[in-house]
């Protein structure tokens, strides 16, 4: 099955198992938590068509798994959409550094990531979220130094990630490297140093998209419940009509006699009239 296949075609058990395998891999790699994994696995085994299967793994990479019979890659974002988020210009006035000493820092929401962002965490932590950010250039560099602390970097789907940091009794997360970039998407280079600390990189959908998917799953769940109720009502009506039909269609000689003697002609004969 290819991306050109009709989404209304029925999916097979093999298709559902392929999707389930990708979900299990995503859980093991930390891309999904247990709650998300349970919701998606439940939706997988309830899915009846390719159109219902496709959104379940749209935000998960399929590298290392045999291609399933349904598209499991996120639809490409037109380059014009990314062009609108790469604003260019000077970095003056933009947030270009952050420090957390026994504390924390955040850069998230609608902000502009500069060409180079320097951050330092000592016995503390930092959160850099690029899902709703604009980019000062097509390539930005995040230089993170974590000493007995940590820095978490979140990027949206489609962005290319390159990790070049050095870890001593600590580490940099390389799991998001190698994911194909979408047309026109920026490149995020992560450099720096980690000592007894770590710099993590994860790929997540923007909040608005996650909310849209939740609403879509909720709508599909309500539709399935409504369909089950309609099927149940139809089944009950058929059973009731069948029962009435059985009574109306019973020949008179096969119907049970009434016990008060008034149910048949033979009752009068018993009195000798």
């Amino acid at each position: 099955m290819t991306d050109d296949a009709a989404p209304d075609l029925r999916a097979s058990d093999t298709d559902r198992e392929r999707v389930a395998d990708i979900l299990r891999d995503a859980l093991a790699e930390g891309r999904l938590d247990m709650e998300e994994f349970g919701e998606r696995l439940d939706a997988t085994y309830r899915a009846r068509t390719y159109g219902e299967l496709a959104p379940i793994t749209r935000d998960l990479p399929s590298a290392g798994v045999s291609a399933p019979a349904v598209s499991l890659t996120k639809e490409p974002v037109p380059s014009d959409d990314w062009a609108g988020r790469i604003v260019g210009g000077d970095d003056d006035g933009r947030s270009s550094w952050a420090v957390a000493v026994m504390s924390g820092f955040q850069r998230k929401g609608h902000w502009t990531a500069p060409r180079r962002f320097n951050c330092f965490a000592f016995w503390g932590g930092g959160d850099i979220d690029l899902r709703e950010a604009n980019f000062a250039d097509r390539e930005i560099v995040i230089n993170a130094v974590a000493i007995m602390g940590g820095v978490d970097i979140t990027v949206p789907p489609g962005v290319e990630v390159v990790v070049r940091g050095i870890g001593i009794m600590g580490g940099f997360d390389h799991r998001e490297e190698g994911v194909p970039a979408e047309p026109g998407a920026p490149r995020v280079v992560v450099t720096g140093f980690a000592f007894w600390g770590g710099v993590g990189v994860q790929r997540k959908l923007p909040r608005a998209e996650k909310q849209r998917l939740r609403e879509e799953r909720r709508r599909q769940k309500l539709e399935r419940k409504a369909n089950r109720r309609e099927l149940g009502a139809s089944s009950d009506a058929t059973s009731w009509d069948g029962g009435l039909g059985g009574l109306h269609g019973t020949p008179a000689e096969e119907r049970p006699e009434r016990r008060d003697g008034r149910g048949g002609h033979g009752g009068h004969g018993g009195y000798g009239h």
Side-chain angles (χ1 to χ4, degrees):
M1 184 63 60
T2 66
D3 290 340
D4 297 328
D8 294 332
L9 291 180
R10 304 284 289 190
S12 68
D13 289 340
T14 302
D15 297 324
R16 284 183 280 272
E17 283 303 326
R18 285 171 178 166
V19 173
D21 286 341
I22 290 179
L23 294 178
R24 294 185 187 102
D25 289 342
L27 177 65
E29 293 168 356
R31 301 182 195 275
L32 297 176
D33 57 31
M34 283 301 299
E35 182 179 358
E36 290 175 314
F37 171 74
E39 290 176 355
R40 296 194 189 199
L41 191 64
D42 185 48
T44 297
Y45 287 119
R46 289 200 311 264
R48 292 292 176 266
T49 65
Y50 291 108
E52 293 174 352
L53 277 179
I56 296 174
T57 52
R58 183 167 290 158
D59 60 330
L60 298 176
S62 55
V65 229
S66 58
V70 54
S71 174
L72 297 174
T73 57
K74 192 177 185 296
E75 296 177 1
V77 176
S79 57
D80 289 345
D81 289 357
W82 284 114
R85 295 178 61 178
I86 300 175
V87 296
D90 297 330
D91 288 342
D92 295 341
R94 294 173 180 164
S95 176
S96 60
W97 60 274
V99 175
V101 178
M102 292 185 287
S103 61
F105 69 82
Q106 285 187 337
R107 296 294 185 275
K108 61 195 305 184
H110 297 284
W111 67 294
T112 299
R115 291 180 177 86
R116 184 177 181 87
F117 185 87
N118 297 300
C119 57
F120 174 76
F122 175 74
W123 278 18
D127 184 7
I128 302 172
D129 192 336
L130 300 173
R131 288 178 292 175
E132 299 176 9
N134 290 327
F135 298 83
D137 205 343
R138 290 195 177 276
E139 177 176 299
I140 67 168
V141 176
I142 298 177
N143 181 53
V145 177
I147 310 295
M148 292 182 287
V151 176
D152 291 323
I153 302 169
T154 305
V155 300
V159 170
E160 181 184 0
V161 176
V162 177
V163 180
R164 297 173 179 163
I166 299 173
I168 298 177
M169 290 186 289
F172 278 72
D173 191 347
H174 291 261
R175 290 179 298 177
E176 296 300 338
E177 286 189 299
V179 177
E182 293 174 353
R187 186 186 199 202
V188 178
V189 179
V190 181
T191 66
F193 175 73
F195 177 73
W196 280 16
V199 177
V201 183
Q202 58 184 335
R203 195 181 300 269
K204 289 185 177 181
L205 284 173
R207 293 179 180 84
E209 180 66 11
K210 290 174 70 175
Q211 181 63 29
R212 187 192 67 79
L213 290 175
R214 288 194 194 100
E215 291 298 326
E216 179 67 17
R217 288 196 295 267
R218 181 174 176 272
R219 183 187 63 79
Q220 292 176 356
K221 185 176 181 181
L222 292 175
E223 287 180 353
R224 284 192 293 269
K225 286 184 177 179
N227 290 337
R228 284 197 294 267
R229 283 197 297 266
E230 290 177 2
L231 288 173
S234 175
S235 175
D236 291 343
T238 302
S239 300
W240 177 250
D241 290 342
L244 290 177
L247 288 176
H248 292 312
T250 304
E253 61 272 14
E254 295 182 8
R255 297 176 188 168
E257 291 189 10
R258 296 180 56 160
R259 295 179 179 274
D260 58 3
R262 294 176 293 171
H265 298 291
H268 295 290
Y271 289 100
H273 293 296

